[in-house]
Amino acid sequence: MGTGKERRISLTELAEQTGVPARTIRFYIARELLPGPQQAGRGATYGEVHRKRLEEIKKLQAKGLTLNEVARSLGEGTLRVAGAPQPSAWWQYQIADDVVVAVRADLNPWRLREVQKAVREMAVKLRKIRRPGEQ
């Protein structure tokens, strides 16, 4: 039997200790990036395994990895088929008759806003550039 010495903490305490909002922690649990609480329900508790995993996730995200890439790095949350590439969804933005930009759909919200801004700017520039023979 274990000694029970591992300190159990609440979701609020885990969020404060790691700097990860409680809402994000719940999202990670739903995405299976993080195990569920040690004790579920109203008095849910978390332990060292949760804190360590959140630190790993933060480090990987700091390197620029998306959540799907983080999941693959941690070996969690994605379907693995031996030898097959991992599927990913893409959004396509047609910014001119002859130009389409494809963007991975699993970007984090900040990165997605930055890409959309760049795509809009590119579309404006391409509209200003006339093809030879156009008026």
Side-chain angles (χ1 to χ4, degrees):
M1 277 173 92
T3 60
K5 289 186 179 183
E6 181 180 356
R7 182 165 179 259
R8 293 182 176 198
I9 59 175
S10 70
L11 179 61
T12 303
E13 291 170 313
L14 181 62
E16 288 171 358
Q17 287 180 13
T18 61
V20 178
R23 182 177 180 171
T24 302
I25 293 170
R26 286 189 199 101
F27 175 75
Y28 290 166
I29 292 169
R31 285 285 307 262
E32 298 181 359
L33 292 172
L34 188 66
Q38 294 170 335
Q39 176 184 332
R42 195 173 196 59
T45 59
Y46 302 82
E48 188 65 14
V49 67
H50 297 93
R51 191 191 61 72
K52 285 180 179 178
R53 178 57 67 101
L54 286 170
E55 294 300 330
E56 288 178 59
I57 293 169
K58 284 171 54 176
K59 285 179 188 174
L60 292 168
Q61 286 184 311
K63 292 180 180 179
L65 273 66
T66 65
L67 282 183
N68 279 341
E69 293 166 334
V70 167
R72 282 192 292 274
S73 293
L74 298 174
E76 304 286 340
T78 59
L79 177 64
R80 292 186 172 274
V81 178
Q86 292 297 316
S88 62
W90 292 77
W91 287 324
Q92 292 187 353
Y93 299 93
Q94 184 165 0
I95 59 175
D97 291 338
D98 57 347
V99 179
V100 175
V101 175
V103 179
R104 283 184 51 165
D106 61 351
L107 295 177
N108 69 50
W110 174 85
R111 183 75 164 162
L112 179 59
R113 283 190 298 275
E114 292 299 308
V115 168
Q116 288 173 333
K117 179 180 167 186
V119 167
R120 280 192 298 274
E121 290 170 1
M122 187 187 313
V124 168
K125 287 180 183 177
L126 286 174
R127 276 188 231 118
K128 290 180 182 178
I129 300 171
R130 302 280 184 202
R131 290 186 206 144
E134 287 185 345
Q135 298 270 330

